[in-house]
Amino acid sequence: MTAWLTIVGIGEDGYAGLGKAARRALLAAGVVFGGERQLDLLPHCLKARRVAWPSPFDLAPLLARRGTPTCVLASGDPMFFGIGATLARQLPVEEMQVLPAPSSVSLAAARLGWPLQAVELLSLVGRPLAALNSRLHAGRRLLLLSNDGRSPAAVAALLRERGFAPSRLSVLEHLGGERERRIDGLAADWAVDETAALNVIAIDCMAGDDARRLPLTPGLPDDAYRHDGQLTKRDVRAVTLGRLAPEPGELLWDVGAGCGSIGIEWMRAHPSCRAIAIEADAGRQGHIAHNRDALGVPGLQLVAGHAPEALDGLEAPDAIFIGGGVTVPGVLESCWANLKSGGRLLANAVTLQSEATLVSWRERHGGELVRLQVAQAQALGSFDTWRAALPITLLALRKP
């Protein structure tokens, strides 16, 4: 099928800023779909019928016209957090052509003089602000797509809370249009409660003396987590994450998640990594909810319940970590059955009984057993001595 759908990116400069191809597509279309703000940018002389997206949003009216010349209007670049990306999941690329305008981040980078390839991008549209927590690193430059006019003040408050008050903020409103405006300031004394709803926030990250600077490598300090003692300790956690080996886009099950540290650091490894934390204890569920936001991965899914029952119906994972409960009947078996082919399973044991379970499992399914013993130098009177933590037995194996 030839392209029947043209997705036209339109900027704040409206119809006047469109190229010839975009104008021809709009003139030839029988119907133009778009948001009310985009449709209002079209001239009255255009003959095409204008259809605003239904609320709640639904592609059905558009897809019902499949095969008939139709246009869709989108802000800026339709493939950048836009309707073009949504439609590309529904239609073959041969059925549509995309005519982008400069995206808001391209315009923002041009105004700021920032090389776009050296800037990190984050959308706050319909997403928790807590996701910003994992992106704050001294010397980094961030461009944020705001959710609304109150986003800049909320971002400034978060920067102050995290010790990044010296960071420079720029809010760029209505980029590319007659109402374009730029507001500059420091997070430390940001006093603008509300800006125009259509804005991009630029952050030049600078850490204050009180900033908590957390790396993206596995093995965050233990005190980065709120917990009740059920925490995979820092050095063991680093080894565990190294063997789980997260890759972009993969899903982890963290079974018996405790305070959620393994799932959290799995997701911090790459923005597209996902994790499900399974935890039965209500207090620990509260710790997980706090820690995932504080450490910048609010997308961590929390499942309340006991394994193996709580595992029913969950999306099949690429990797599984069992931090507790290996002796519970059916836990290992259910995890192994649900793990994708080629997936990794890793389980830790502290007690003799749980270690015996892992040894027995290895005899039947193979894998590698590792004993981890960590000791720290601590005071003994006026001298120092080694204080050993409980040894950890680790079983790692890959499913055929």
Side-chain angles (χ1 to χ4, degrees), residues 186 288 314:
L186 297 178
I288 293 172
L314 299 182

Side-chain angles (χ1 to χ4, degrees), residues 16 57 69 107 157 167 173 207 216 235 246 312 359 381 386 397:
F57 179 78
L107 292 172
S167 299
E173 303 174 334
L216 295 176
D235 298 293
D312 292 343
V359 171
W386 291 109
L397 68 160

Side-chain angles (χ1 to χ4, degrees), residues 132-190:
L132 182 57
N133 280 324
S134 64
R135 311 296 181 92
L136 298 179
H137 303 280
R140 296 297 295 160
R141 286 174 168 175
L142 308 176
L143 286 176
L144 313 181
L145 301 180
S146 279
N147 188 56
D148 53 33
R150 294 188 177 275
S151 294
V155 167
L158 185 146
L159 290 169
R160 293 192 296 270
E161 180 183 341
R162 286 291 310 274
F164 282 79
S167 299
R168 295 200 61 82
L169 289 183
S170 296
V171 177
L172 300 107
E173 303 174 334
H174 296 291
L175 281 160
E178 294 179 354
R179 294 181 292 167
E180 181 173 323
R181 184 175 71 143
R182 174 173 168 175
I183 308 169
D184 295 297
L186 297 178
D189 52 14
W190 189 264

Side-chain angles (χ1 to χ4, degrees), residues 9-99:
I10 190 168
E12 283 285 298
D13 51 358
Y15 189 78
L18 296 178
K20 291 182 179 179
R23 293 189 183 194
R24 282 197 299 266
L26 288 167
L27 290 169
V31 174
V32 178
F33 286 82
E36 291 185 3
R37 188 176 67 83
Q38 286 86 32
L39 293 173
D40 287 343
L41 296 172
L42 297 179
H44 296 295
C45 61
L46 205 69
K47 296 180 180 179
R49 182 164 60 92
R50 307 171 197 206
V51 179
W53 293 117
S55 181
F57 179 78
D58 189 359
L59 286 175
L62 171 64
L63 297 178
R65 291 184 53 81
R66 194 170 185 178
T68 304
T70 305
C71 273
V72 167
L73 281 182
S75 293
D77 186 346
M79 303 304 292
F80 182 71
F81 290 104
I83 187 65
T86 302
L87 286 166
R89 294 191 291 267
Q90 301 288 327
L91 296 170
V93 66
E94 296 80 13
E95 293 189 30
M96 60 185 191
Q97 64 171 335
V98 181
L99 304 175

Side-chain angles (χ1 to χ4, degrees), residues 186-199:
L186 297 178
D189 52 14
W190 189 264
V192 183
D193 291 332
E194 188 164 4
T195 66
L198 191 64
N199 73 81

